Amino acid sequence: IGGGNTGALSAAISIAEAATKANKSVKVCLLEPTDWYGGQMTAQGVSAIDYGDHNRYSGNWPASWKALMDVVAPDNKNQGVCWVSTTCYQPQILMDQFVTPVLNKYADYITVYDRTVIIDAMGQNDYIQSVKAVQRQPVDPSKEWSYLLSEQLEDWYSTDDSKLFTKTQYSFTAKVFIEATELGDIMMNLDGLTIFQGAETPYENSTTTVDQCGQAVTFTFFLWN
């Protein structure tokens, strides 16, 4: 699973849960660009769950989502007390009390490669056969997150050691690859792959689309009082 977003973590957990229930052996490799798994819900700081009215009804929740909500919103209360969502929380709480314990629970199924990005993909006829990735380790862990993302992102995708990181290269082969990166690292690295991109409508309830405009990008920031 080429990770980075919430879907990557969800896919890994869902596969492990299904394998457990079916008593099947499966190996999942979850590649995560940061050291926090969960995308918007954790590392990206968008810890305000946005869902429709029907999804707020706990009777519609699968067991794993119910377990998550019991952590971030016990008794369906808004722990973050924010106006963006009825369910806001501190990302660290979700990491410590749900994400990490669940990944540890399914350690026999899921192997996590943190600080790892995909740099190349190989395949033919619209089938992915393998991907190459690079994992970085900070030279000085105390300063790892002291730099802006724009100052180190290019370094993440380089195979060369730098003043900030030492690097290790990996090659992964699998029967199934899941593209769950934020930048399309798998799709964009495979020449000739047929892909479909969602498009925005120019206005609400429009019957036309703007072909050159994907979903809007959101940049988040954190204020501490």
Side-chain angles (χ1 to χ4, degrees), residues 107-124:
D108 290 341
Y109 298 96
I110 304 172
T111 301
V112 178
Y113 293 80
D114 60 8
R115 300 177 176 87
T116 302
V117 297
I118 293 172
I119 58 174
D120 201 4
M122 284 66 67
Q124 58 182 355

Side-chain angles (χ1 to χ4, degrees), residues 32-90:
E32 165 59 44
T34 71
D35 59 349
W36 272 23
Y37 327 108
Q40 287 191 347
M41 297 185 73
T42 55
Q44 295 173 25
V46 193
S47 53
I49 299 172
D50 181 12
Y51 44 24
D53 290 338
H54 294 298
N55 290 331
R56 298 182 194 278
Y57 174 53
S58 60
N60 293 331
W61 295 348
S64 57
W65 184 255
K66 174 66 165 57
L68 183 151
M69 293 301 293
D70 286 344
V71 169
V72 301
D75 300 322
N76 205 26
K77 293 181 179 179
N78 187 355
Q79 300 298 302
V81 195
C82 72
W83 59 268
V84 178
S85 167
T86 58
T87 307
C88 300
Y89 58 91
Q90 291 288 348

Side-chain angles (χ1 to χ4, degrees), residues 168-190:
T168 303
Q169 296 185 59
Y170 293 97
S171 179
F172 296 91
T173 59
K175 293 182 179 179
V176 176
F177 290 88
I178 297 178
E179 167 62 277
T181 69
E182 294 288 22
L183 302 177
D185 292 344
I186 297 179
M187 294 188 299
M188 295 298 102
N189 274 301
L190 189 62

